[in-house]
Amino acid sequence: MVELAAQSTIREPGECIVRVDGTELTELYPHLRSVEVEMDRQGAAVCTLEFETFREEDEHWRVQDSELLEPWKSIVIEAVFGDRTDEVMRGYIREINVDCPQEMGEASVRVRGQDESILLDREHVRQLLSEEDAPQSDGDLASRVAADNGFDARIEAGLTNRNLHQDATHVRFLRDRADANGFELFVREGTLHFHPPELDGDPQPTIYLYGGAETSCLNISIQHDGHRPDRIGVTRAADTGEDIEETEVTPTLSLLGEQSADSESRGLTPFLWRMEQPAGATLEEAQARAQARANENAWKIRATGELDGVIYGHVLLTHETVRVEGIGETYSGLYYVDSVKHTFDADGYRQAFRLLRNATG
Protein backbone atom coordinates (compact mmCIF):
# COMPACT_ATOMS: atom_id res chain seq x y z
CA MET A 1 0.00 0.00 0.00
CA VAL A 2 1.23 3.48 -0.80
CA GLU A 3 2.04 5.24 2.44
CA LEU A 4 -0.67 7.85 2.71
CA ALA A 5 1.52 9.94 5.01
CA ALA A 6 5.17 9.44 5.87
CA GLN A 7 6.22 9.39 9.51
CA SER A 8 9.42 11.26 8.72
CA THR A 9 9.75 14.74 7.29
CA ILE A 10 10.82 13.37 3.90
CA ARG A 11 7.76 12.79 1.71
CA GLU A 12 7.87 10.67 -1.39
CA PRO A 13 6.04 11.71 -4.59
CA GLY A 14 2.36 10.88 -4.75
CA GLU A 15 1.62 10.64 -1.04
CA CYS A 16 -1.80 11.61 0.25
CA ILE A 17 -2.19 13.77 3.33
CA VAL A 18 -5.54 13.93 5.16
CA ARG A 19 -6.29 16.61 7.74
CA VAL A 20 -9.44 16.77 9.86
CA ASP A 21 -10.11 20.03 11.71
CA GLY A 22 -6.50 20.95 10.91
CA THR A 23 -5.03 17.77 12.45
CA GLU A 24 -3.28 15.22 10.25
CA LEU A 25 -4.66 11.68 10.66
CA THR A 26 -1.23 10.29 11.56
CA GLU A 27 -2.51 7.85 14.20
CA LEU A 28 -5.09 6.40 11.80
CA TYR A 29 -2.90 6.11 8.69
CA PRO A 30 -1.91 2.47 9.47
CA HIS A 31 -5.61 1.55 9.16
CA LEU A 32 -6.39 3.61 6.05
CA ARG A 33 -6.91 1.35 3.03
CA SER A 34 -7.77 3.90 0.38
CA VAL A 35 -8.69 7.51 -0.32
CA GLU A 36 -10.88 8.45 -3.29
CA VAL A 37 -11.90 11.92 -4.45
CA GLU A 38 -14.44 12.21 -7.26
CA MET A 39 -14.73 15.53 -9.09
CA ASP A 40 -17.43 16.23 -11.64
CA ARG A 41 -17.90 19.43 -13.63
CA GLN A 42 -21.65 19.35 -13.01
CA GLY A 43 -21.69 18.43 -9.33
CA ALA A 44 -19.93 18.65 -5.99
CA ALA A 45 -16.58 17.00 -5.28
CA VAL A 46 -16.93 14.07 -2.86
CA CYS A 47 -14.40 11.94 -1.02
CA THR A 48 -14.44 8.43 0.45
CA LEU A 49 -11.95 7.15 3.02
CA GLU A 50 -11.90 3.38 3.67
CA PHE A 51 -10.48 2.16 7.00
CA GLU A 52 -10.01 -1.23 8.56
CA THR A 53 -10.91 -1.19 12.25
CA PHE A 54 -10.51 -3.40 15.30
CA ARG A 55 -11.69 -3.57 18.90
CA GLU A 56 -9.20 -2.94 21.68
CA GLU A 57 -9.24 -4.58 25.13
CA ASP A 58 -11.44 -1.91 26.76
CA GLU A 59 -14.26 -2.25 24.18
CA HIS A 60 -12.89 0.84 22.41
CA TRP A 61 -12.82 0.52 18.62
CA ARG A 62 -9.71 1.98 17.05
CA VAL A 63 -11.28 3.96 14.19
CA GLN A 64 -14.98 4.69 14.77
CA ASP A 65 -14.33 5.72 18.38
CA SER A 66 -11.62 8.17 17.37
CA GLU A 67 -12.64 11.72 18.21
CA LEU A 68 -11.14 12.83 14.89
CA LEU A 69 -13.90 11.28 12.78
CA GLU A 70 -17.23 13.00 13.32
CA PRO A 71 -19.78 14.50 10.89
CA TRP A 72 -19.32 18.18 10.07
CA LYS A 73 -15.65 18.28 10.93
CA SER A 74 -13.64 19.97 8.19
CA ILE A 75 -11.52 17.75 5.97
CA VAL A 76 -8.67 18.60 3.58
CA ILE A 77 -7.03 16.08 1.23
CA GLU A 78 -3.69 16.90 -0.36
CA ALA A 79 -1.24 15.19 -2.70
CA VAL A 80 2.45 15.63 -1.97
CA PHE A 81 5.01 15.55 -4.80
CA GLY A 82 8.46 15.89 -3.31
CA ASP A 83 8.62 19.35 -1.76
CA ARG A 84 5.36 20.53 -3.39
CA THR A 85 1.86 20.01 -2.03
CA ASP A 86 -1.28 20.27 -4.18
CA GLU A 87 -4.75 20.44 -2.68
CA VAL A 88 -7.12 17.82 -4.02
CA MET A 89 -10.27 18.77 -2.09
CA ARG A 90 -11.49 20.56 1.01
CA GLY A 91 -14.89 20.29 2.61
CA TYR A 92 -16.68 18.54 5.47
CA ILE A 93 -17.31 15.00 6.68
CA ARG A 94 -20.85 14.21 5.62
CA GLU A 95 -21.43 10.67 6.88
CA ILE A 96 -19.73 7.74 8.60
CA ASN A 97 -20.62 4.12 7.89
CA VAL A 98 -19.46 1.29 10.17
CA ASP A 99 -19.67 -2.27 8.77
CA CYS A 100 -19.37 -5.12 11.32
CA PRO A 101 -19.78 -8.51 9.58
CA GLN A 102 -19.75 -11.88 11.31
CA GLU A 103 -15.94 -12.02 11.20
CA MET A 104 -14.65 -9.27 13.50
CA GLY A 105 -11.40 -9.06 11.56
CA GLU A 106 -13.30 -7.84 8.51
CA ALA A 107 -14.88 -4.83 10.24
CA SER A 108 -14.47 -1.56 8.36
CA VAL A 109 -15.33 2.13 8.48
CA ARG A 110 -16.19 4.27 5.48
CA VAL A 111 -16.03 8.06 5.82
CA ARG A 112 -17.66 10.21 3.15
CA GLY A 113 -17.15 13.92 2.68
CA GLN A 114 -18.29 16.68 0.34
CA ASP A 115 -16.68 19.91 -0.76
CA GLU A 116 -17.58 23.27 0.78
CA SER A 117 -20.70 23.60 -1.37
CA ILE A 118 -22.46 21.44 1.22
CA LEU A 119 -22.71 24.59 3.37
CA LEU A 120 -25.09 26.01 0.76
CA ASP A 121 -27.38 22.96 0.87
CA ARG A 122 -28.53 23.04 4.50
CA GLU A 123 -31.49 25.44 4.47
CA HIS A 124 -34.54 25.56 2.22
CA VAL A 125 -35.21 29.24 1.52
CA ARG A 126 -38.41 30.80 0.20
CA GLN A 127 -37.96 34.43 -0.75
CA LEU A 128 -38.69 37.03 -3.43
CA LEU A 129 -35.36 38.06 -4.95
CA SER A 130 -36.25 40.59 -7.61
CA GLU A 131 -39.25 42.60 -8.77
CA GLU A 132 -40.17 44.64 -11.82
CA ASP A 133 -39.06 47.88 -10.22
CA ALA A 134 -36.00 46.35 -8.49
CA PRO A 135 -34.30 43.98 -10.97
CA GLN A 136 -31.18 42.05 -10.02
CA SER A 137 -28.74 39.99 -12.05
CA ASP A 138 -28.01 36.36 -11.28
CA GLY A 139 -24.46 37.45 -10.53
CA ASP A 140 -25.76 39.83 -7.85
CA LEU A 141 -27.65 36.97 -6.22
CA ALA A 142 -24.63 34.63 -6.36
CA SER A 143 -22.39 37.35 -4.88
CA ARG A 144 -24.78 37.80 -1.98
CA VAL A 145 -24.82 34.04 -1.25
CA ALA A 146 -21.02 33.93 -1.39
CA ALA A 147 -20.64 36.87 0.99
CA ASP A 148 -23.25 35.55 3.44
CA ASN A 149 -21.43 32.22 3.66
CA GLY A 150 -17.86 33.49 3.89
CA PHE A 151 -16.74 32.56 0.38
CA ASP A 152 -14.62 34.59 -1.99
CA ALA A 153 -16.26 34.91 -5.40
CA ARG A 154 -15.45 34.70 -9.12
CA ILE A 155 -18.74 35.72 -10.66
CA GLU A 156 -20.17 37.12 -13.88
CA ALA A 157 -23.44 39.03 -13.99
CA GLY A 158 -25.51 36.80 -16.25
CA LEU A 159 -29.22 37.37 -16.81
CA THR A 160 -31.14 40.25 -15.24
CA ASN A 161 -34.33 39.18 -13.45
CA ARG A 162 -37.48 41.24 -12.82
CA ASN A 163 -39.64 38.58 -11.19
CA LEU A 164 -37.68 35.81 -9.52
CA HIS A 165 -38.46 33.67 -6.47
CA GLN A 166 -36.22 31.25 -4.62
CA ASP A 167 -37.86 28.09 -3.29
CA ALA A 168 -34.87 25.81 -2.68
CA THR A 169 -31.54 25.62 -0.89
CA HIS A 170 -28.94 28.12 -2.08
CA VAL A 171 -26.89 25.60 -4.02
CA ARG A 172 -29.93 24.12 -5.81
CA PHE A 173 -31.22 27.57 -6.67
CA LEU A 174 -27.83 28.75 -7.94
CA ARG A 175 -27.38 25.59 -9.98
CA ASP A 176 -30.64 26.28 -11.78
CA ARG A 177 -29.55 29.88 -12.43
CA ALA A 178 -26.19 28.61 -13.66
CA ASP A 179 -28.01 26.30 -16.11
CA ALA A 180 -30.17 29.22 -17.25
CA ASN A 181 -27.04 31.26 -18.07
CA GLY A 182 -24.87 28.46 -19.42
CA PHE A 183 -22.55 29.01 -16.45
CA GLU A 184 -20.64 26.60 -14.27
CA LEU A 185 -21.21 26.54 -10.51
CA PHE A 186 -18.63 25.09 -8.12
CA VAL A 187 -16.71 25.85 -4.93
CA ARG A 188 -12.94 25.34 -4.83
CA GLU A 189 -10.48 26.41 -2.15
CA GLY A 190 -12.91 28.80 -0.51
CA THR A 191 -14.08 30.49 -3.73
CA LEU A 192 -17.56 30.30 -5.24
CA HIS A 193 -17.39 30.15 -9.05
CA PHE A 194 -20.38 31.31 -11.13
CA HIS A 195 -19.30 32.01 -14.70
CA PRO A 196 -19.05 30.49 -18.21
CA PRO A 197 -16.53 27.70 -18.90
CA GLU A 198 -13.02 29.16 -19.03
CA LEU A 199 -11.15 27.70 -22.00
CA ASP A 200 -8.59 30.39 -22.75
CA GLY A 201 -6.40 30.23 -19.63
CA ASP A 202 -3.11 28.39 -19.27
CA PRO A 203 -3.63 24.62 -19.55
CA GLN A 204 -2.64 22.17 -16.85
CA PRO A 205 0.55 20.09 -17.31
CA THR A 206 0.45 17.96 -20.47
CA ILE A 207 -0.74 14.36 -20.43
CA TYR A 208 1.63 12.16 -22.46
CA LEU A 209 0.86 8.80 -24.06
CA TYR A 210 3.63 6.72 -25.67
CA GLY A 211 6.10 9.47 -24.76
CA GLY A 212 8.96 7.42 -23.34
CA ALA A 213 10.05 8.58 -19.89
CA GLU A 214 7.43 11.34 -19.97
CA THR A 215 4.54 8.89 -20.40
CA SER A 216 2.03 9.55 -17.62
CA CYS A 217 -1.12 8.18 -19.29
CA LEU A 218 -1.76 4.48 -18.63
CA ASN A 219 -4.57 4.25 -21.19
CA ILE A 220 -6.96 6.46 -23.12
CA SER A 221 -10.05 5.90 -25.30
CA ILE A 222 -11.55 8.44 -27.71
CA GLN A 223 -15.20 8.68 -28.72
CA HIS A 224 -16.04 11.06 -31.57
CA ASP A 225 -19.83 11.31 -31.87
CA GLY A 226 -20.77 13.20 -35.02
CA HIS A 227 -24.51 12.79 -34.41
CA ARG A 228 -24.93 15.57 -31.86
CA PRO A 229 -26.87 18.74 -32.71
CA ASP A 230 -24.89 21.71 -34.04
CA ARG A 231 -27.53 24.37 -33.42
CA ILE A 232 -30.47 24.88 -31.09
CA GLY A 233 -33.67 26.55 -32.24
CA VAL A 234 -35.96 28.22 -29.70
CA THR A 235 -39.60 28.15 -30.77
CA ARG A 236 -42.32 30.33 -29.29
CA ALA A 237 -45.69 31.73 -30.22
CA ALA A 238 -45.53 35.14 -31.87
CA ASP A 239 -46.66 38.16 -29.86
CA THR A 240 -49.60 38.53 -32.20
CA GLY A 241 -51.47 35.92 -34.18
CA GLU A 242 -50.89 32.17 -34.19
CA ASP A 243 -47.55 32.10 -36.01
CA ILE A 244 -44.54 30.35 -34.47
CA GLU A 245 -41.27 32.26 -34.23
CA GLU A 246 -37.87 30.59 -34.00
CA THR A 247 -34.45 31.84 -32.99
CA GLU A 248 -31.35 29.74 -33.78
CA VAL A 249 -28.17 29.77 -31.70
CA THR A 250 -24.77 28.25 -32.44
CA PRO A 251 -21.95 27.32 -30.02
CA THR A 252 -19.92 30.25 -28.70
CA LEU A 253 -17.13 28.45 -26.83
CA SER A 254 -13.54 28.80 -28.05
CA LEU A 255 -12.42 25.92 -30.26
CA LEU A 256 -9.89 23.58 -28.65
CA GLY A 257 -8.33 22.71 -31.99
CA GLU A 258 -7.94 23.86 -35.58
CA GLN A 259 -11.19 22.57 -37.08
CA SER A 260 -14.64 22.55 -35.50
CA ALA A 261 -16.16 19.12 -34.95
CA ASP A 262 -19.55 20.31 -36.26
CA SER A 263 -21.41 19.00 -39.31
CA GLU A 264 -20.59 21.96 -41.55
CA SER A 265 -16.87 21.26 -41.26
CA ARG A 266 -17.64 17.80 -42.70
CA GLY A 267 -19.58 19.25 -45.64
CA LEU A 268 -23.03 18.56 -44.17
CA THR A 269 -25.93 20.87 -43.45
CA PRO A 270 -26.15 21.88 -39.78
CA PHE A 271 -27.97 19.49 -37.45
CA LEU A 272 -30.70 21.62 -35.83
CA TRP A 273 -32.48 20.57 -32.63
CA ARG A 274 -35.51 22.55 -31.46
CA MET A 275 -36.64 23.37 -27.95
CA GLU A 276 -39.71 25.25 -26.80
CA GLN A 277 -39.47 28.33 -24.66
CA PRO A 278 -39.68 27.02 -21.05
CA ALA A 279 -42.91 27.90 -19.25
CA GLY A 280 -42.54 31.13 -17.29
CA ALA A 281 -39.15 31.96 -18.81
CA THR A 282 -38.50 35.21 -20.62
CA LEU A 283 -37.30 35.07 -24.21
CA GLU A 284 -33.89 36.23 -22.99
CA GLU A 285 -33.64 33.30 -20.58
CA ALA A 286 -34.93 30.84 -23.18
CA GLN A 287 -32.22 31.96 -25.59
CA ALA A 288 -29.57 31.72 -22.85
CA ARG A 289 -30.68 28.17 -22.02
CA ALA A 290 -30.58 27.30 -25.72
CA GLN A 291 -27.08 28.76 -25.96
CA ALA A 292 -25.99 26.63 -23.01
CA ARG A 293 -27.44 23.53 -24.71
CA ALA A 294 -25.69 24.37 -27.98
CA ASN A 295 -22.36 24.79 -26.19
CA GLU A 296 -22.79 21.48 -24.36
CA ASN A 297 -23.72 19.65 -27.57
CA ALA A 298 -20.54 20.96 -29.20
CA TRP A 299 -18.48 18.57 -27.05
CA LYS A 300 -18.56 15.89 -29.73
CA ILE A 301 -15.20 14.37 -28.76
CA ARG A 302 -14.82 12.66 -25.39
CA ALA A 303 -11.73 10.99 -23.98
CA THR A 304 -11.63 8.64 -21.01
CA GLY A 305 -8.48 7.24 -19.48
CA GLU A 306 -6.22 6.93 -16.47
CA LEU A 307 -3.06 8.63 -15.29
CA ASP A 308 -0.22 7.39 -13.15
CA GLY A 309 -0.43 10.20 -10.61
CA VAL A 310 3.17 9.84 -9.48
CA ILE A 311 4.58 10.20 -13.00
CA TYR A 312 2.14 12.99 -13.88
CA GLY A 313 3.21 14.77 -10.71
CA HIS A 314 0.17 17.05 -10.47
CA VAL A 315 -3.46 17.00 -9.36
CA LEU A 316 -5.64 17.10 -12.49
CA LEU A 317 -8.59 19.43 -11.88
CA THR A 318 -12.00 19.79 -13.50
CA HIS A 319 -13.15 23.12 -15.05
CA GLU A 320 -9.72 23.64 -16.63
CA THR A 321 -8.03 22.67 -19.90
CA VAL A 322 -5.24 20.15 -20.36
CA ARG A 323 -3.17 19.18 -23.38
CA VAL A 324 -2.97 15.53 -24.47
CA GLU A 325 -0.06 14.39 -26.65
CA GLY A 326 0.72 11.09 -28.34
CA ILE A 327 -2.64 10.06 -29.85
CA GLY A 328 -2.17 11.38 -33.38
CA GLU A 329 -2.61 14.66 -35.24
CA THR A 330 -6.42 14.46 -35.22
CA TYR A 331 -7.03 13.96 -31.51
CA SER A 332 -3.92 15.30 -29.78
CA GLY A 333 -4.34 18.82 -28.44
CA LEU A 334 -6.33 20.76 -25.85
CA TYR A 335 -9.23 19.22 -23.94
CA TYR A 336 -11.56 20.46 -21.19
CA VAL A 337 -11.56 18.37 -18.01
CA ASP A 338 -15.07 17.06 -17.27
CA SER A 339 -14.43 14.67 -14.37
CA VAL A 340 -11.56 13.13 -12.40
CA LYS A 341 -11.48 10.31 -9.86
CA HIS A 342 -8.36 10.45 -7.68
CA THR A 343 -7.46 7.14 -5.97
CA PHE A 344 -4.72 6.52 -3.41
CA ASP A 345 -4.42 2.85 -2.41
CA ALA A 346 -2.13 -0.18 -2.47
CA ASP A 347 -1.64 0.22 -6.22
CA GLY A 348 -0.32 3.79 -5.91
CA TYR A 349 -1.90 7.06 -7.01
CA ARG A 350 -4.14 6.98 -10.08
CA GLN A 351 -6.34 9.59 -11.72
CA ALA A 352 -9.20 8.37 -13.91
CA PHE A 353 -10.39 11.19 -16.17
CA ARG A 354 -13.04 12.21 -18.68
CA LEU A 355 -12.12 15.00 -21.11
CA LEU A 356 -14.14 16.99 -23.66
CA ARG A 357 -13.26 18.58 -26.98
CA ASN A 358 -15.15 20.56 -29.64
CA ALA A 359 -12.57 20.47 -32.42
CA THR A 360 -9.87 18.35 -34.06
CA GLY A 361 -6.30 19.02 -35.11
Side-chain angles (χ1 to χ4, degrees):
M1 177 177 179
V2 169
E3 290 186 0
L4 299 180
Q7 301 299 316
S8 68
T9 58
I10 300 176
R11 302 190 183 280
E12 297 298 326
E15 286 185 18
C16 178
I17 304 299
V18 182
R19 307 181 195 277
V20 174
D21 270 2
T23 300
E24 191 172 352
L25 293 186
T26 306
E27 65 181 60
L28 296 182
Y29 281 152
H31 316 293
L32 183 55
R33 294 173 179 169
S34 65
V35 176
E36 292 183 349
V37 177
E38 296 184 63
M39 303 174 173
D40 191 287
R41 183 171 57 96
Q42 297 178 328
V46 296
C47 64
T48 303
L49 282 64
E50 294 274 0
F51 294 89
E52 59 185 10
T53 186
F54 64 94
R55 189 176 67 184
E56 298 175 321
E57 293 181 359
D58 59 356
E59 300 297 322
H60 176 90
W61 284 78
R62 190 71 178 89
V63 176
Q64 63 263 41
D65 290 332
S66 169
E67 295 181 355
L68 288 172
L69 300 180
E70 296 178 356
W72 287 107
K73 285 196 171 184
S74 65
I75 184 169
V76 176
I77 299 173
E78 301 170 321
V80 180
F81 305 98
D83 59 359
R84 195 187 81 254
T85 300
D86 292 350
E87 183 171 299
V88 183
M89 179 194 132
R90 71 170 72 170
Y92 295 87
I93 294 176
R94 178 168 179 160
E95 64 180 76
I96 297 174
N97 299 278
V98 181
D99 186 14
C100 298
Q102 184 174 5
E103 295 295 329
M104 184 184 298
E106 298 177 1
S108 62
V109 175
R110 181 182 299 109
V111 177
R112 298 187 186 276
Q114 183 175 323
D115 67 27
E116 295 169 296
S117 66
I118 195 172
L119 296 177
L120 307 179
D121 199 27
R122 299 188 66 243
E123 180 184 5
H124 190 111
V125 178
R126 289 189 175 99
Q127 59 180 336
L128 177 63
L129 295 172
S130 60
E131 300 179 84
E132 189 67 32
D133 58 350
Q136 293 192 66
S137 72
D138 286 323
D140 293 333
L141 305 177
S143 295
R144 185 190 308 163
V145 170
D148 289 347
N149 290 273
F151 292 125
D152 294 330
R154 286 190 57 189
I155 288 172
E156 291 197 17
L159 295 166
T160 297
N161 307 291
R162 290 178 170 79
N163 185 16
L164 186 65
H165 291 77
Q166 177 178 347
D167 189 8
T169 62
H170 289 313
V171 73
R172 296 172 190 273
F173 171 76
L174 288 180
R175 191 162 300 284
D176 178 71
R177 300 317 301 162
D179 291 343
N181 287 274
F183 286 2
E184 296 189 332
L185 173 72
F186 62 100
V187 179
R188 178 174 292 158
E189 297 189 16
T191 298
L192 175 68
H193 293 255
F194 184 81
H195 51 70
E198 297 180 333
L199 307 184
D200 299 322
D202 293 335
Q204 299 176 83
T206 300
I207 294 172
Y208 289 100
L209 183 73
Y210 308 135
E214 292 184 309
T215 299
S216 55
C217 190
L218 300 173
N219 59 76
I220 192 168
S221 298
I222 308 294
Q223 179 195 41
H224 186 161
D225 183 0
H227 194 61
R228 292 174 65 89
D230 304 302
R231 301 179 181 180
I232 301 295
V234 181
T235 59
R236 70 185 188 104
D239 294 334
T240 58
E242 298 180 355
D243 294 336
I244 298 297
E245 295 182 351
E246 181 172 86
T247 302
E248 291 186 13
V249 296
T250 59
T252 56
L253 296 178
S254 300
L255 291 181
L256 300 183
E258 296 178 354
Q259 185 178 49
S260 171
D262 64 9
S263 300
E264 287 183 277
S265 66
R266 271 66 186 171
L268 303 173
T269 56
F271 179 3
L272 175 66
W273 184 85
R274 292 179 170 86
M275 60 177 281
E276 294 184 358
Q277 181 175 335
T282 64
L283 179 59
E284 182 184 19
E285 178 173 329
Q287 291 174 334
R289 287 184 181 273
Q291 186 65 71
R293 187 73 61 86
N295 287 342
E296 195 65 25
N297 285 337
W299 300 121
K300 292 180 169 61
I301 300 170
R302 297 170 183 250
T304 57
E306 191 172 37
L307 293 174
D308 183 315
V310 174
I311 297 176
Y312 186 59
H314 298 271
V315 172
L316 186 66
L317 298 174
T318 55
H319 305 96
E320 297 185 18
T321 60
V322 66
R323 186 175 297 278
V324 179
E325 296 291 350
I327 51 176
E329 295 179 355
T330 301
Y331 296 115
S332 291
L334 281 176
Y335 285 77
Y336 195 51
V337 183
D338 187 43
S339 70
V340 187
K341 180 179 180 180
H342 301 268
T343 302
F344 297 84
D345 62 12
D347 296 323
Y349 174 31
R350 303 179 310 284
Q351 303 181 49
F353 57 78
R354 182 169 64 244
L355 312 177
L356 307 173
R357 203 173 190 215
N358 56 7
T360 57

